[in-house]
Amino acid sequence: MTKKDIAENNIKQIEGLVLLKDLDNSFIIELKYATKDNFLKKVMYPVPVCAIRRETGEKLVKANKIFKERGYTIKVWDAYRPMHVQREFYEACPDSPYVAKPPENPIASGFRPRHNNGMAVDITLVDENGKELEMPSGFDDFTEKAKVSSNNMTEEARKNVNYLHEVMSSVGFRTYENEWWHFVDGVEEPTPYLDIPLEIFTL
Ligand SMILES: C[C@@H](N)C(=O)N[C@H](C)C(=O)O
Ligand SMILES: [Zn+2]
């Protein structure tokens, strides 16, 4: 989707972020941090808004098309995450491989691709009945079970996670060894971290 397409389709774009559903409305979007079903057991997002950097979203759309050829769909658990939420995560879980450390102020000082610039996603796959495929662990299971290289998984989970990673890598995402569900855009020139509240997308 080009900038012209975005303008013609009247897609809201804020600081390079767009709503994922505006790029492709066939994703299953179940944002865990808009519910209490997450590692903090607390609603962290006031609204269930799934925003993503446009170019990263376009890669995810490509991946979704490939999965659909086999009857699967991507379920999105998280995408763009405002920096103030990342800080709360880090306070609860400091110096852990499961939560990225927020950069020192100013927040634009760091440029690694991740949730805070809309360049990372937490996802799984569902089948034609909307049932999640078996994977090595549940979401935000902050244990060794979540490791991509863990031996502690069934053959079915191994097959599914390998397939998920193979397709995501083929469209330009990088995987993260400690969390099988976390993928970052593999581009070399990531953009600044953002702290745009999700509510802005609902205005
Ligand atoms: C908190 C977890 N879902 C996650 O996204 N972890 C990565 C490492 C992050 O905080 O960027
Ligand atoms: Zn993640």
Side-chain angles (χ1 to χ4, degrees):
M1 187 170 285
T2 62
K3 281 192 177 145
K4 187 164 161 276
D5 292 329
I6 288 195
E8 281 171 1
N9 293 313
N10 202 17
I11 291 176
K12 189 179 267 190
Q13 182 161 221
I14 301 168
E15 298 276 355
L17 300 175
V18 295
L19 294 178
L20 183 60
K21 71 175 170 56
D22 285 348
L23 296 183
D24 174 350
N25 67 6
S26 71
F27 288 99
I28 312 289
I29 298 178
E30 284 186 15
L31 298 182
K32 292 286 195 185
Y33 302 122
T35 73
K36 287 187 180 170
D37 184 18
N38 59 62
F39 74 102
L40 290 173
K41 307 281 176 242
K42 217 172 121 185
V43 175
M44 302 301 295
Y45 295 169
V47 285
V49 163
C50 185
I52 192 161
R53 180 152 186 87
R54 180 169 58 85
E55 293 81 358
T56 307
E58 284 165 358
K59 288 179 186 169
L60 203 61
V61 170
K62 270 194 204 161
N64 206 29
K65 287 200 174 114
I66 298 174
F67 290 127
K68 275 168 183 286
E69 286 165 16
R70 284 217 207 161
Y72 303 127
T73 302
I74 293 178
K75 179 185 275 192
V76 183
W77 283 325
D78 197 26
Y80 164 65
R81 179 188 306 156
M83 188 54 84
H84 67 275
V85 177
Q86 189 73 32
R87 290 205 187 94
E88 260 195 74
F89 282 9
Y90 190 76
E91 271 167 32
C93 222
D95 300 320
S96 137
Y98 304 108
V99 173
K101 185 174 185 203
E104 305 303 324
N105 285 329
I107 61 167
S109 62
F111 292 88
R112 259 178 63 212
R114 60 186 207 196
H115 288 287
N116 313 119
N117 40 24
M119 300 174 82
V121 287
D122 294 338
I123 63 166
T124 191
L125 291 175
V126 300
D127 66 16
E128 277 155 327
N129 300 315
K131 189 172 180 293
E132 286 177 20
L133 301 199
E134 183 179 342
M135 290 291 174
S137 74
F139 175 62
D140 276 4
D141 177 333
F142 291 171
T143 70
E144 295 284 306
K145 276 179 81 181
K147 270 195 190 303
V148 178
S149 63
S150 165
N151 289 323
N152 184 12
M153 70 177 86
T154 64
E155 264 182 45
E156 184 62 23
R158 171 51 63 207
K159 181 178 76 132
N160 292 338
V161 78
N162 284 356
Y163 173 56
L164 175 68
H165 283 226
E166 181 196 310
V167 173
M168 290 297 282
S169 301
S170 78
V171 300
F173 283 93
R174 280 189 274 124
T175 61
Y176 180 52
E177 163 62 11
N178 290 305
E179 297 175 352
W180 64 262
W181 57 81
H182 178 88
F183 297 89
V184 298
D185 193 325
V187 294
E188 295 301 320
E189 290 176 22
T191 57
Y193 299 141
L194 301 168
D195 201 12
I196 299 165
L198 295 172
E199 302 90 295
I200 300 268
F201 290 88
T202 64
L203 300 177

